[in-house]
Amino acid sequence: MDDQLPALEAIVGSGSYPTFARTLVALSAEGYDFDLDHLFELGLGAPLDGLAVRLDRRAP
């Protein structure tokens, strides 16, 4: 994450994404819960749910 900070600052500083910049400012002021386990489950859940649907359709 720290390695990506310069790129993130460039994106925010460009002025091309004002909503994104405001969101980051609000998050940095209010804080946020960065739960890697939750992010992993969220990212893995969607493809697994889709796979389950496909497999259910093929079941006799």
Side-chain angles (χ1 to χ4, degrees):
M1 294 288 292
D2 291 337
D3 292 343
Q4 299 303 317
L5 189 57
L8 184 59
E9 288 173 340
I11 291 169
V12 171
S14 73
S16 297
Y17 306 97
T19 303
F20 183 61
R22 285 192 305 273
T23 301
L24 288 181
V25 168
L27 287 174
S28 64
E30 298 169 11
Y32 58 93
D33 185 18
F34 190 67
D35 185 347
L36 290 176
D37 289 333
H38 177 74
L39 290 175
F40 178 78
E41 290 174 17
L42 182 65
L44 185 60
L48 290 179
D49 289 346
L51 182 60
V53 170
R54 288 186 62 106
L55 293 176
D56 284 345
R57 278 194 241 146
R58 292 174 42 187

